[in-house]
Amino acid sequence: MDLTPLHQPQSVDADPQETAEWRDAFMALLAAQGPARARFVLDELARQARTARVGWQPELATPYVNTIAVDRQPVFPGDLAIEERLASLMRWNALAMVVRANQAYGELGGHIASYASAADLFETGFNHFFRARNDEAGQTNLGDLVFFQPHSAPGVYARAYLEGRLSAEDLTYYRQELTAPAAATGSGPRGLCSYPHPCLMPDFWQFPTGSMGIGPISSIYHARFMRYLTHRHLLDCSQRKVWGVFGDGEMDEPESMSALTLAAREGLDNLVWVVNCNLQRLDGPVRGNGRIIDELEMLFAGAGWNVIKLVWGSDWDGLFARDQGGALIRAFANTVDGQMQTFAAKDGRFNRDNFFGQNAELARLAQGMTDEQIDRLKRGGHDMVKIHAAYDAACRHQGQPTVILAHTKKGFGMGSAGQGRMTTHSQKKFDETDLIAFRNRFNLPMTDEQVKNLEFYKPADDSAEMQYLQAQRRRLGGHLPRRYTACERVAVPEIASYAQFALTAQDRETSTTMAFVRLLGNLLKDTTLGPRIVPIVADEARTFGMANLFKQIGIYSSVGQRYAPEDIGSVLSYREALDGQILEEGISEAGAIASWTAAATSYSVHGLAMLPFYIYYSMFGFQRVGDQIWAAADQRARGFLLGATSGRTTLGGEGLQHQDGTSHLLAATIPNCKAYDPAFAGELAVIIDHGMREMLVEQKDVFYYVTVMNENYAQPDLPAAAVPDVIRGCYKFASYPGLSGDAKSTRSSGNVTLLGSGAILTEVIKAAVLLAQQGLDVDVFSVTSWSELARDGAVGETPFVAQQLAGSKGPIVAATDYVRAVPESVRGCLPSGRRYVTMGTDGFGRSDTRAALRGFFGVDAASIVRAARSAIGT
Ligand SMILES: Cc1ncc(C[n+]2csc(CCOP(=O)(O)OP(=O)(O)O)c2C)c(N)n1
């Protein structure tokens, strides 16, 4: 469907005389009675039209002009001239940083054009709106959350340089994080990471945005999580805002779009997006043959957002005022973005001939303007007065999130070197003429020599500019971005108080999923820890037997429950509440993981440690939203991911798309993710307990991925001695001495060592019994974490797994419900000289019974017996 009104057929005016009468009547009404009455009458007419079914729909797109009329603009509260001079300096320092890095090492990359388009959008925020966390006078004001467009990072560094937070030397190590002296010695200039990465600059960046789309969705769920904290009386976030500056090309990402309706439904008026509509992405125009601003306006308005179009700068005000006949609006309605980009790339003369030259009315408007003036006509996103008006309106708007669609030029001010050019995204080389032109364009107080040497420029501390810069930030609470980590420890109850049922399970039959749910229910009752727990589901709570939690702790809803649930009389009835604790995200894994990230980083973003448990179909985790998990890892998340119904053969019936055999492989690639595949409830309890202590008490930046299964089987007691080994990844489960056919003889006919994890450990145990019956001595080890064993093996002198297996004998056979690469990951860590055979579930899943699937993939007891016999050569 083409959304641009440009392509809608123009209806023919059959009776201009009559049309004029209607128009005059409406204008008279507006003049006499004002806009409120005018809106009422329009609504009434619309109602009539609907009743009569005339088939009329109002256009969602408004004309290509500013939403905020000139007479509604507040007075600009700052010193415009100083702010413009400061912005020019940031532009220069950002440019110099990138060009210098690339002069030294051409491979380093970096971007200039994006920040060139976004500088005024950033600067107006920094000077007037973005509030920093402030801990002065014994009071903590936690400030706003700001998401920065990633490839505009040089601009944020450039500001931090003027603010005195980064040195000129630091800037010279942009994109040289390893070469910078601080990397080797811990002091001196530090390297600046390419994009916002809290992992790499943990005192600076708060939110990773480098992968397009993740910043936008994350910002929505952070804003929603602030509401959750407020409504649950954990932390008052009611005065704080979430700002996000994103690209217009970035809006094409499914993640950018997928939570728009959630933001509107939740009435997130604490959220402001600024979409930098420079009309270009990397390769070319975002919508060459349409208009991205119109398209986004319709999309956001349809989703329920407050939309502010910020299209033209102040120097257009006079033109619009003189344009009584509406020639400009008509001309814009016929100008597609590809053409608008060409206008950006060309000079004033070209624009006079080709834009204003389209007809006599337009030409008249441009009369009296020099080519230079035409060239300097600003788009809205480059005019701080207009930007301020838009931000101010966004801050005051209530009941809806706001998006500001800011029209800019990509590579603004880069002249012939890049402004509006198709190739500008990656432009990072400037010759001397271009540099001098840039200096002149922005009136930089620098000599030719300084410019050619790409010197960074910083005015004296006592200059009016620097005084102003610092004063504005002081007023807003201090500098940002800045990342904090201080938060109070949360006490974790003794394991026996909540997990004794799992530690001494006495062979009762249950699944690890059920054990997890019971464990979670118990933890929720702890008066200290319980309120900090955030259970998260993506419409699978019933699948995992969690429906009892609906009643117990409620599902969070910002409006409570406005209906009587069908099952109101049931003890498990569906209960939504303002202070509900469960985040039920519906069928959006992207939303649920964004929600998890917000909770998992609350310790840093809000100074309040929360503990999220997101439980999901394991196949729809790393495989589906792996990049978001990677970003959460970058943001140093602390929390639990529970991959339920995991294992390619343990989840019978569901088939290829649902059966997960790879999540442990993917989890192992994330450095701060500890992944476990426990077989038994006792192991699970020990793992969760240890994880909670690492995250909440020791405050380590780790998160846990734990797989849980839906297969019921006998749950043995966990011996206390095994506890530390469960955490390290492997413990001896049992020995099965070979049984001779002759009762008097105890001589074994060989040895074999079996390793297993998750539900497949039960097959391994069955195989051990069979092998023992055949006269073999068998040792069985439960591997709780292949990746922890492999990591230990990569650094330790004698790998832990080798120590564990030292007392065992014979070939080693390992089986899991995951691809063979998972157990293969420890091959290099095993005791030397032992044969190692791995069995796994490579290939596509199938729908059938567990038994059939395990036979098919060769991970059932019979297959393990065969593999063991073949390994020992019998
Ligand atoms: C998921 C993802 N895909 C691709 C990229 C590579 N990339 C970086 S910037 C960019 C273009 C961005 O265009 P836009 O959002 O319009 O921002 P602009 O630079 O034009 O302001 C692309 C494709 C990325 N960073 N993330």
Side-chain angles (χ1 to χ4, degrees), residues 495 498-499 501-505 512 515 519 640 676-691 704 706-709 713 715-719 722-723 725-727 729-734 756-759 761-762 765 780-785:
I495 188 168
Y498 65 91
F501 75 93
L503 298 174
T504 49
T512 46
L519 201 136
F640 288 92
Y676 289 92
D677 185 29
F680 299 124
E683 298 172 4
L684 172 75
V686 163
I687 290 162
I688 301 262
D689 186 77
H690 191 261
Y704 276 43
V706 187
T707 39
V708 286
M709 277 71 68
Y713 45 76
Q715 301 286 340
D717 294 355
L718 183 74
V723 170
D725 295 349
V726 167
I727 300 305
C730 166
Y731 71 98
K732 181 159 172 189
F733 178 74
S757 72
L761 183 66
T762 62
I765 293 167
V780 170
F781 288 80
S782 173
V783 174
T784 47
S785 176

Side-chain angles (χ1 to χ4, degrees), residues 22 64 66 75 103-104 158 198 220 292 298 329 363 374 385 442 517 542 568 608 620 627 634 659 761 798:
W22 280 85
Y64 209 66
N66 295 341
V75 176
Q103 272 183 359
I220 291 177
I292 187 65
M298 291 189 277
I329 288 178
I374 291 177
V385 174
F442 290 105
V517 174
R542 291 184 198 280
I568 195 158
L608 182 81
F620 304 136
D627 200 21
D634 183 352
Q659 291 162 343
L761 183 66
T798 312

Side-chain angles (χ1 to χ4, degrees), residues 605-845:
V605 177
H606 308 296
L608 182 81
M610 300 293 287
L611 188 68
F613 288 88
Y614 169 29
I615 181 163
Y616 54 87
Y617 250 111
S618 72
M619 191 58 159
F620 304 136
F622 287 89
Q623 168 134 330
R624 176 91 188 203
V625 290
D627 200 21
Q628 283 176 277
I629 300 177
W630 184 249
D634 183 352
Q635 207 180 325
R636 297 171 172 257
R638 300 174 186 169
F640 288 92
L641 296 174
L642 280 301
T645 56
S646 95
R648 188 155 275 157
T649 68
T650 304
L651 176 63
E654 290 290 302
L656 183 153
Q657 195 88 57
H658 288 65
Q659 291 162 343
D660 165 34
T662 46
S663 64
H664 275 288
L665 199 57
L666 299 172
T669 62
I670 300 185
N672 48 353
C673 172
K674 292 192 173 182
Y676 289 92
D677 185 29
F680 299 124
E683 298 172 4
L684 172 75
V686 163
I687 290 162
I688 301 262
D689 186 77
H690 191 261
M692 291 194 297
R693 284 171 210 287
E694 280 203 285
M695 297 176 219
L696 296 174
V697 182
E698 295 163 42
Q699 303 197 330
K700 289 192 190 161
D701 293 346
V702 291
F703 67 99
Y704 276 43
Y705 173 60
V706 187
T707 39
V708 286
M709 277 71 68
N710 64 340
E711 183 178 357
N712 287 323
Y713 45 76
Q715 301 286 340
D717 294 355
L718 183 74
V723 170
D725 295 349
V726 167
I727 300 305
R728 296 188 72 177
C730 166
Y731 71 98
K732 181 159 172 189
F733 178 74
S735 293
Y736 299 83
L739 304 171
S740 160
D742 171 1
K744 286 180 211 145
S745 160
T746 52
R747 243 167 33 100
S748 104
S749 57
N751 291 283
V752 67
T753 300
L754 303 183
L755 312 185
S757 72
I760 294 301
L761 183 66
T762 62
E763 298 292 335
V764 167
I765 293 167
K766 279 184 231 159
V769 172
L770 292 170
L771 288 164
Q773 282 166 359
Q774 294 166 15
L776 289 164
D777 282 341
V778 190
D779 281 337
V780 170
F781 288 80
S782 173
V783 174
T784 47
S785 176
W786 298 98
S787 46
E788 286 304 295
L789 292 180
R791 281 174 189 171
D792 165 81
V795 293
E797 284 276 295
T798 312
F800 172 69
V801 62
Q803 294 169 35
Q804 289 294 83
L805 297 182
S808 69
K809 290 193 189 130
I812 302 163
V813 179
T816 83
D817 219 0
Y818 298 88
V819 291
R820 279 183 53 229
V822 172
E824 279 295 327
S825 64
V826 304
R827 179 176 289 278
C829 316
L830 299 173
S832 54
R834 303 273 292 272
R835 185 145 183 231
Y836 185 48
V837 178
T838 56
M839 311 173 72
T841 55
D842 296 57
F844 286 121

Side-chain angles (χ1 to χ4, degrees), residues 111 113-115 117-118 149-152 195 209-214 246-251 253 255 276-284 286 408 410 425 627:
H111 306 90
S114 300
Y115 179 66
S117 65
Q149 213 188 356
H151 37 292
S152 292
Y195 304 113
T209 51
S211 180
M212 312 256 98
I214 292 180
F246 306 118
D248 48 358
E250 184 173 14
M251 291 299 111
E253 290 286 2
E255 289 88 352
N276 175 11
C277 296
N278 57 28
L279 314 184
Q280 290 179 245
R281 39 176 147 86
L282 194 153
D283 283 342
V286 178
T408 59
K410 190 148 181 173
H425 187 84
D627 200 21

Side-chain angles (χ1 to χ4, degrees), residues 120 142 205 286 392 418 613 647 744:
D120 302 297
L142 289 167
W205 293 114
V286 178
D392 181 67
F613 288 88
K744 286 180 211 145

